[in-house]
Amino acid sequence: MPNFSADHSSGSHRQRSRDGSGQPHGHRTRHPLLLKAVDLGLLLAIFAVPMAFGGRQSIGQFLLISSAIWTALCWAVYQMTRKEPDWVRSRVEPVLLAVLAVGTLQIVPLPASILSSLSPAIADTLPVWFSADGPGLVEGPWPFLSMSVGESRAGLAIGISYLLLFIVTVQRIRSNEDAFRILRWIALAGAVMAVFGLVQYLFSNGKFFWVFEHPQGNTADRPLGGFLNKNHFSHYLALCGCPLVWWCFTMLDRGKNDTASFGRGAGRSGHAELVTAGLVFSLVAVGAAVLLARSRGGILATTAALTVMMFTVYWKSQISGRQLATMSGIGVVALFVVSMFGEQDLTRVVQRLDYWSDNGRTEIWDANLKIASDFPITGTGIGSHRYIYPKYLDQPFSSGEYSHAESSYLQILSETGLLGFGVMIVVLLVCLFWCCQGVRL
């Protein structure tokens, strides 16, 4: 079986990423502390932010922004102190600038003529600001495209943090080993989250981390880890599941090679077996946590991600049919672990999978489509959903609040219009193109 860690880079990339010493170009050990500082920022974003309520609360947002600023500053200092600073062109820089442009356009004051052209329905939505009596009540007229400038500014800050982390990560990866290291971090973060979520659920007092009581979540009902929402928890594990499977296959392949060796190979084989056992345990924990969380979308996302990955690596002859069956067996073990938590938990998982009602989602989706039809170009502003949807959804306030649209695609469409939605489509196509390129290598 081909080695998962083999260098599949093209010749031109190897020539660009290696210098005469055989080390990745730009990563010669001239400033190892600065590179370690960059990695520390990436580790903070990968491990700490998800644990801080998935970055949805103030502490998580603080950690996200702090890690982004720290990582970007350390990388900038590293580049400035090198004799020959270099820049890896990802060719998505124009898309990143478009993301900033969409967010910035919503929070800068605009002339009334431009505002009415880009968002003609804003006068009907904010009648006091645009009425003849408005200047006596408010300092009108309203000059922004966003209906909630404060939320849009906060959302733009979060978006800039993601962009900084993306840019630095692209610059930091100069070889396959750099990419493998980050994948292992993501896999390990998912394993820690799954195990923590199960332990917190098994020994729950209803509070997050056994300390924080939050009105939006309860750890006694299902595993949530460091997240407030079962869907976010499950989708995060779906994201980390594929790197875990890849790492497990890598260790299996390495252990096979070490077993065929003599001398020091025996020690390496023992270490590989220990790590592989830990990875298999982590995969079982991820599967059990996703099932016990009872998120239908999360279960579908995890199943789809693993199915696509397994089909791809099998198609590329990276694994054998026997190994494919072994990974399928891990899913059976995960079901067994779920049953160990109690018959009631297993019954609730089965009932959840049998119950496919929309739970009111179609109503809020329809409301977002109506918002998008009234604000087609630039939307109502990043973060404005909870303030604008009541105008389009007739329901008692006692029924609860839709803080989100229950669909990221529709929320992006309603909050940023066709401009933001178009940028999102381009980003998704770029990611798909990169994945296809990776499969072709």
Side-chain angles (χ1 to χ4, degrees):
M1 182 183 69
N3 196 326
F4 266 78
S5 61
D7 190 351
H8 298 292
S9 304
S10 63
S12 60
H13 178 73
R14 286 195 298 267
Q15 183 178 3
R16 179 177 64 86
S17 62
R18 299 283 176 178
D19 58 19
S21 63
Q23 297 295 325
H25 180 60
H27 285 212
R28 298 160 71 180
T29 57
R30 180 180 179 85
H31 303 292
L33 290 180
L34 285 174
L35 288 179
K36 291 181 179 178
V38 172
D39 290 342
L40 178 63
L42 295 177
L43 283 169
L44 182 65
I46 293 173
F47 284 89
V49 175
M51 277 293 182
F53 302 108
R56 290 189 62 191
Q57 304 297 306
S58 299
I59 180 63
Q61 294 170 357
F62 172 77
L63 289 175
L64 174 63
I65 295 174
S66 299
S67 63
I69 294 176
W70 169 268
T71 305
L73 286 177
C74 290
W75 183 259
V77 173
Y78 171 74
Q79 286 293 317
M80 289 187 295
T81 54
R82 294 188 67 251
K83 292 183 178 181
E84 299 179 359
D86 59 342
W87 177 267
V88 174
R89 291 182 296 174
S90 64
R91 299 182 180 178
V92 298
E93 285 79 10
V95 181
L96 304 183
L97 292 177
V99 173
L100 293 178
V102 171
T104 303
L105 181 64
Q106 293 185 341
I107 62 175
V108 296
L110 298 174
S113 58
I114 297 179
L115 193 70
S116 61
S117 298
L118 294 176
S119 185
I122 195 171
D124 294 332
T125 306
L126 302 175
V128 175
W129 288 87
F130 292 90
S131 66
D133 298 331
L137 301 175
V138 295
E139 297 179 2
W142 183 259
F144 305 103
L145 287 170
S146 173
M147 300 290 179
S148 179
V149 181
E151 294 285 352
S152 297
R153 288 171 178 166
L156 182 60
I158 297 298
I160 292 174
S161 300
Y162 284 129
L163 295 183
L164 288 176
L165 289 171
F166 171 81
I167 291 172
V168 174
T169 302
V170 169
Q171 302 304 313
R172 182 68 178 90
I173 297 176
R174 302 301 178 94
S175 66
N176 280 351
E177 182 54 39
D178 292 333
F180 295 161
R181 181 174 60 254
I182 293 178
L183 283 176
R184 287 192 289 265
W185 290 347
I186 296 173
L188 185 58
V192 171
M193 181 68 74
V195 172
F196 171 71
L198 292 175
V199 172
Q200 185 177 237
Y201 173 60
L202 187 61
F203 302 99
S204 175
N205 61 356
K207 300 179 180 180
F208 289 90
F209 303 96
W210 298 278
V211 176
F212 302 107
E213 187 174 1
H214 201 282
Q216 296 181 9
N218 188 324
T219 60
D221 182 56
R222 67 188 81 214
L224 294 174
F227 291 84
L228 297 175
N229 184 281
K230 64 181 184 298
N231 298 317
H232 299 168
F233 172 70
S234 299
H235 281 82
Y236 175 76
L237 295 183
L239 170 71
C240 301
C242 289
L244 262 176
V245 172
W246 160 81
W247 193 0
C248 187
F249 281 140
T250 301
M251 295 307 301
L252 286 172
D253 187 56
R254 183 180 302 175
K256 179 181 177 181
N257 293 335
D258 290 342
T259 302
S261 304
F262 296 95
R264 291 182 300 173
R268 292 197 300 269
S269 179
H271 173 73
E273 290 177 357
L274 182 62
V275 174
T276 303
L279 293 173
V280 172
F281 172 80
S282 299
L283 283 171
V284 171
V286 167
V290 170
L291 290 173
L292 287 170
R294 305 195 305 278
S295 168
R296 295 169 300 185
I299 293 173
L300 287 177
T302 304
T303 304
L306 292 177
T307 300
V308 171
M309 178 187 178
M310 300 300 290
F311 171 79
T312 303
V313 295
Y314 183 75
W315 173 53
K316 298 290 290 185
S317 300
Q318 295 290 307
I319 61 173
S320 63
R322 182 179 180 181
Q323 290 173 318
L324 189 62
T326 301
M327 298 307 300
S328 301
I330 292 178
V332 177
V333 176
L335 284 173
F336 175 73
V337 172
V338 170
S339 66
M340 292 178 60
F341 276 80
E343 183 179 352
Q344 181 182 2
D345 286 291
L346 183 60
T347 301
R348 289 196 295 178
V349 171
V350 174
Q351 290 176 345
R352 182 62 174 170
L353 293 177
D354 286 338
Y355 180 73
W356 288 92
S357 173
D358 58 31
N359 291 333
R361 285 184 173 88
T362 54
E363 297 178 0
I364 192 62
W365 292 344
D366 183 64
N368 275 265
L369 289 174
K370 293 177 180 177
I371 295 172
S373 66
D374 283 349
F375 300 86
I377 302 177
T378 57
T380 59
I382 299 172
S384 64
H385 180 269
R386 67 173 64 194
Y387 306 107
I388 192 66
Y389 86 85
K391 182 177 184 293
Y392 299 85
L393 181 62
D394 185 15
Q395 70 167 16
F397 285 102
S398 60
S399 299
E401 179 189 55
Y402 286 98
S403 60
H404 296 81
E406 300 293 342
S407 170
S408 300
Y409 306 103
L410 288 180
Q411 185 159 344
I412 290 174
L413 179 63
S414 63
E415 290 188 348
T416 63
L418 292 175
L419 288 178
F421 191 79
V423 173
M424 179 201 69
I425 294 297
V426 173
V427 171
L428 292 178
L429 290 176
V430 169
C431 292
L432 179 61
F433 173 76
W434 283 355
C435 291
C436 292
Q437 287 291 95
V439 171
R440 288 179 57 189
L441 292 178

